[in-house]
């Protein structure tokens, strides 16, 4: 049975002490056993975050990783390095990585393979841009992203995949997909997985929504039957807002 997940993507925010303070503020929170709460601090603070969360149920994930095991890739971080500090989850394919660092679905496919080799869970981000939504091609765009990156995985590998639909036009813009828009595309995504694999596998995949989720809109979005939680950017940097969002699930 799939779990509900609220994950905070802290992006390039928070220094060491701000990261620790935010974690301390979240640590006392209790939440239902069918909910998972995750945070993705910057690489430099992952080891600290892992230590600070050890006794509790908050899970720590990385925001990115390189597809290669090791080698001459200045400035990069490997799955092996993450693994060595106890990080067993990673966000891949975020639209900011695609837009600013030229990440492509073909390259992401390799990253997903590497992550799975290290038995890591992957939060795979995908979603259409504004002009694609306006042209009505968002279903095709999303289908192509999923097919290219994930549809040659076997069903055991799928147990390590969490999907995060993040329409680019809703990220950091204050504009959110309406609950109906989110439900429509999440149901479409689940249907795609069911037709490529089977209904049981499709039912087990958590599909998160990301893009300007705030305390004010979280429960309407999360109450949609195919929305299994959210990947939260800006609002996850504020303890009070992030806690309110977690409590909306
Ligand atoms: P915002 O919640 O700031 O729109 O960011 C969403 C996001 O990019 C999460 O990965």
């Amino acid at each position: 049975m799939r779990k509900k997940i609220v994950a905070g993507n802290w992006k390039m925010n928070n220094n060491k002490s701000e990261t620790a303070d935010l974690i301390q503020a979240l640590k006392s929170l209790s939440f239902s056993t069918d909910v998972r709460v995750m945070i993705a601090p910057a690489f430099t603070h992952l080891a600290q975050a892992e230590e600070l969360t050890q006794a509790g149920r908050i899970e720590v994930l990385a925001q990115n990783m390189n597809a290669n095991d090791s080698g001459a890739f200045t400035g990069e971080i490997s799955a092996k390095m993450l693994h060595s500090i106890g990080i067993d989850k990673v966000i891949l394919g975020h639209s900011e990585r695609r837009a600013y660092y030229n990440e492509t679905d073909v390259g992401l496919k390799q990253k997903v393979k590497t992550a799975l080799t290290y038995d890591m869970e992957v939060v795979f981000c995908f979603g259409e841009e504004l002009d694609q939504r306006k042209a009505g091609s968002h279903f095709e765009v999303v289908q192509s992203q999923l097919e290219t990156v994930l549809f040659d995985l076997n069903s055991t590998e799928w147990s390590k995949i969490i999907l995060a639909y993040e329409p680019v036009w809703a990220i950091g813009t204050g504009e959110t997909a309406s609950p109906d828009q989110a439900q429509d595309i999440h149901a479409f995504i689940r249907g795609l997985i069911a037709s490529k694999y089977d209904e049981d596998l499709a039912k087990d995949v958590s599909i998160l929504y990301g893009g300007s989720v705030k305390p004010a809109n979280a429960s309407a979005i999360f109450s949609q039957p195919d929305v299994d939680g959210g990947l939260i950017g800006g609002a996850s940097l504020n303890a009070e807002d992030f806690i309110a969002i977690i409590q909306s699930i």
Side-chain angles (χ1 to χ4, degrees):
M1 190 59 193
R2 65 184 187 260
K3 294 242 180 182
K4 303 262 186 203
I5 300 170
V6 181
N9 176 6
W10 292 352
K11 307 189 181 182
M12 198 174 73
N13 293 294
N14 292 334
N15 64 21
K16 187 177 178 189
S17 63
E18 289 162 344
T19 300
D21 288 349
L22 194 45
I23 292 171
Q24 291 301 350
L26 299 172
K27 265 174 83 170
S28 54
L29 186 69
S30 66
F31 46 91
S32 148
T33 49
D34 56 2
V35 173
R36 298 173 71 187
V37 173
M38 302 179 184
I39 52 169
F43 281 133
T44 43
H45 312 320
L46 284 174
Q48 168 189 246
E50 184 61 20
E51 269 169 39
L52 289 174
T53 55
Q54 211 127 66
R57 289 186 47 223
I58 293 177
E59 302 173 49
V60 179
L61 72 165
Q63 298 176 18
N64 180 36
M65 50 160 251
N66 192 276
N68 296 284
D69 258 2
S70 61
F73 300 102
T74 302
E76 289 293 289
I77 303 285
S78 68
K80 201 170 171 181
M81 293 169 180
L82 294 172
H83 208 255
S84 72
I85 57 164
I87 302 295
D88 58 0
K89 294 168 206 68
V90 62
I91 297 173
L92 293 176
H94 194 279
S95 65
E96 289 148 17
R97 300 285 326 163
R98 294 171 187 260
Y100 308 141
Y101 303 98
N102 305 318
E103 296 221 20
T104 62
D105 286 326
V106 174
L108 288 165
K109 180 176 176 162
Q110 193 49 52
K111 287 192 174 191
V112 170
K113 287 270 176 216
T114 304
L116 293 174
T117 305
Y118 282 87
D119 210 23
M120 292 174 82
E121 265 185 300
V122 173
V123 175
F124 178 66
C125 302
F126 58 99
E128 80 284 357
E129 295 183 20
L130 182 60
D131 55 338
Q132 295 167 325
R133 166 66 65 162
K134 281 186 174 158
S137 58
H138 45 293
F139 291 108
E140 277 162 55
V141 170
V142 158
Q143 179 163 357
S144 157
Q145 290 170 322
L146 293 175
E147 280 176 353
T148 307
V149 184
L150 300 176
F151 276 14
D152 68 339
L153 299 181
N154 63 37
S155 42
T156 313
E157 291 169 320
W158 266 92
S159 66
K160 293 283 187 182
I161 303 291
I162 295 162
L163 298 179
Y165 167 68
E166 297 207 305
V168 179
W169 48 271
I171 296 178
T173 58
E175 196 167 332
T176 323
S178 69
D180 284 348
Q181 284 175 321
Q183 170 56 24
D184 271 2
I185 198 142
H186 281 227
F188 170 76
I189 293 161
R190 206 177 299 285
L192 278 180
I193 301 168
S195 55
K196 168 72 187 173
Y197 296 88
D198 58 59
E199 292 281 348
D200 285 345
L201 190 150
K203 269 194 218 144
D204 281 346
V205 179
S206 296
I207 310 177
L208 316 185
Y209 167 81
S212 298
V213 176
K214 307 269 182 269
N217 58 25
S219 57
I221 297 172
F222 294 166
S223 63
Q224 298 302 310
D226 286 294
V227 177
D228 305 310
L231 183 55
I232 322 298
S236 71
L237 296 169
N238 175 290
E240 211 176 295
D241 286 353
F242 193 38
I243 288 170
I245 292 170
I246 295 165
Q247 285 169 337
S248 309
I249 194 101

